[in-house]
Amino acid sequence: WQPVGPTSVQWRLNSGSTPSWFTGPRTANWMTNASGWYAYFESSSFPSGSVGSMESPLLPGASEAYCQMQFFYHMYGSHIGSLSVVLQTDSLNTTLWVQRSDRGRSW
């Protein structure tokens, strides 16, 4: 996974709580992530509407007919926007999933 797009948002890896109060998780989702790390960006440091994108490597042998993605997310804080999963093909971007606003303190 790597950051993509014309953005100044800086993704970071973390294992504990985020630097700003009343935002982010207290710890990584250790039950599903043995390494105890998660990727985040400090959204309170950027203007409303800022975008932070990450892109997976090309999945060899994956087809649109059969491809599965599993992840855990944490969206806590008063300035949370949205989180989307987008499938990018040669000429088309298809939004597969969207979650918006504060979802509480749990993964």
Side-chain angles (χ1 to χ4, degrees), residues 21-95:
W21 289 89
F22 302 110
T23 67
R26 293 182 187 123
T27 63
N29 185 356
W30 59 269
M31 292 182 70
T32 57
N33 182 354
S35 66
W37 294 91
Y38 61 92
Y40 82 102
F41 74 87
E42 189 62 44
S43 62
S44 60
S45 301
F46 298 96
S48 180
S50 294
V51 175
S53 298
M54 292 181 80
E55 183 177 75
S56 75
L58 181 63
L59 303 173
S63 71
E64 290 180 42
Y66 183 78
C67 189
Q68 183 177 5
M69 177 181 177
Q70 181 179 13
F71 67 99
F72 295 86
Y73 63 95
H74 192 287
M75 296 172 69
Y76 176 64
S78 60
H79 295 92
I80 295 296
S82 63
L83 177 64
S84 304
V85 174
V86 177
L87 173 66
Q88 181 179 11
T89 58
D90 292 334
S91 60
L92 185 64
N93 290 339
T94 305
T95 300

